Amino acid sequence: MHTIERAVWRYQHALPGFVWDAAVLEGNPFTYPEVQTLMDGITVGGRKLSDERQVINLAESARELARVVKSGEFRLDKPTSDRFQQIIAQGEALEVGHFRGEGPLTLTPGVNLGEYGRYMPPPTEPGGENLRRIFSQGVKAILAEIESPFEQAMAYFLFAALQQFYFDGNKRTGRTMMNGHLMTHGIDAISVPAARRAEFNAMMVDFYRTKDATAAFAFLTSCHPDFEEPPGIL
């Protein structure tokens, strides 16, 4: 654990990598140099506008996260989550900036698990009170029952991914909140490397199926920059 300033500085200096990794996890075809170019304010030819918008949203949310953490404004709460989901999913999700049910739509989207069918989160109910209650109780339990801020952050991401509070952008928003909580406690942010996309997807499918977070915690921990492989047995 270090200072907040150091964690944010390291995050800011690695922003193109964080944005590219996050984009690749979504199946976005932008290359790392193209992400760097776009973040420099230069358009990239031959790419879909929707893919470009996704990268721009990810970059904007990453910059805003650095600012919010550095200013001391970050909170592991619903208003902060809504704020980042609105940036991340703008132009992509059916509704942005609020939980399912808080707007006019009341459909309940599932998560495609391929050969394992679909995972169905809590239903979308008019007004969204059920999801607000789940969120409030979940965050309270995470902060009260888990001592380590590092594990609190990972637990929050998995909680947010499982409950699917929004119509889209749940994992992206959850990882953003996870990293905000980490950096607020002087811990470097976590980026899931683009090269580990298949491993990440398989891990998430298993988590949705079993609700067992053991493997997910191990995977996310292995993505942290301070992670060291355990010595092999000779």
Side-chain angles (χ1 to χ4, degrees), residues 15-63:
L15 273 191
F18 273 84
V19 172
W20 181 60
D21 285 341
V24 171
L25 293 187
E26 298 301 315
N28 193 300
F30 266 67
T31 66
Y32 180 71
E34 287 174 337
V35 167
Q36 288 180 305
T37 299
L38 196 59
M39 289 181 68
D40 287 337
I42 303 171
T43 58
V44 177
R47 294 299 189 190
K48 292 181 180 179
L49 291 177
S50 58
D51 291 332
E52 180 181 88
R53 171 48 56 188
Q54 185 177 74
V55 172
I56 290 173
N57 289 351
L58 286 167
E60 183 180 346
S61 67
R63 293 186 181 110

Side-chain angles (χ1 to χ4, degrees), residues 157-183:
F157 163 66
L158 295 170
F159 166 65
L162 190 67
Q163 305 302 331
Q164 295 284 298
F165 292 109
Y166 306 100
F167 284 111
D168 206 345
N170 288 285
K171 290 192 291 293
R172 282 168 283 169
T173 303
R175 288 197 303 274
T176 298
M177 294 290 288
M178 172 182 74
N179 283 331
H181 191 68
L182 288 173
M183 290 190 290

Side-chain angles (χ1 to χ4, degrees), residues 4-203:
I4 294 174
E5 290 74 18
R6 179 187 183 276
V8 173
W9 183 88
R10 284 169 61 87
Y11 178 70
Q12 288 177 311
H13 278 71
L15 273 191
F18 273 84
V19 172
W20 181 60
D21 285 341
V24 171
L25 293 187
E26 298 301 315
N28 193 300
F30 266 67
T31 66
Y32 180 71
E34 287 174 337
V35 167
Q36 288 180 305
T37 299
L38 196 59
M39 289 181 68
D40 287 337
I42 303 171
T43 58
V44 177
R47 294 299 189 190
K48 292 181 180 179
L49 291 177
S50 58
D51 291 332
E52 180 181 88
R53 171 48 56 188
Q54 185 177 74
V55 172
I56 290 173
N57 289 351
L58 286 167
E60 183 180 346
S61 67
R63 293 186 181 110
E64 178 65 2
L65 179 62
R67 189 196 69 78
V68 169
V69 171
K70 194 172 184 179
S71 68
E73 299 172 38
F74 182 85
R75 299 290 184 275
L76 201 65
D77 61 13
K78 183 179 184 298
T80 304
S81 179
D82 287 350
R83 175 179 182 177
F84 283 109
Q85 193 271 347
Q86 183 166 20
I87 297 172
I88 288 167
Q90 188 68 46
E92 184 176 345
L94 292 171
E95 296 176 352
V96 296
H98 55 250
F99 283 1
R100 291 183 286 116
E102 293 183 330
L105 294 179
T106 55
L107 61 92
T108 302
V111 178
N112 188 351
L113 303 182
E115 62 184 297
Y116 299 107
R118 295 183 73 79
Y119 162 73
M120 295 305 297
T124 302
E125 297 180 358
E129 175 57 33
N130 64 320
L131 294 181
R132 287 195 296 274
R133 182 175 62 254
I134 290 170
F135 182 90
S136 177
Q137 293 174 347
V139 171
K140 183 178 180 180
I142 288 170
L143 297 179
E145 298 174 15
I146 301 176
E147 183 176 353
S148 161
F150 184 71
E151 293 186 352
Q152 288 172 351
M154 293 189 294
Y156 177 89
F157 163 66
L158 295 170
F159 166 65
L162 190 67
Q163 305 302 331
Q164 295 284 298
F165 292 109
Y166 306 100
F167 284 111
D168 206 345
N170 288 285
K171 290 192 291 293
R172 282 168 283 169
T173 303
R175 288 197 303 274
T176 298
M177 294 290 288
M178 172 182 74
N179 283 331
H181 191 68
L182 288 173
M183 290 190 290
T184 296
H185 288 83
I187 304 170
D188 285 338
I190 293 173
S191 186
V192 177
R196 301 183 70 182
R197 178 188 176 196
E199 189 180 352
F200 172 76
N201 289 339
M203 177 273 289

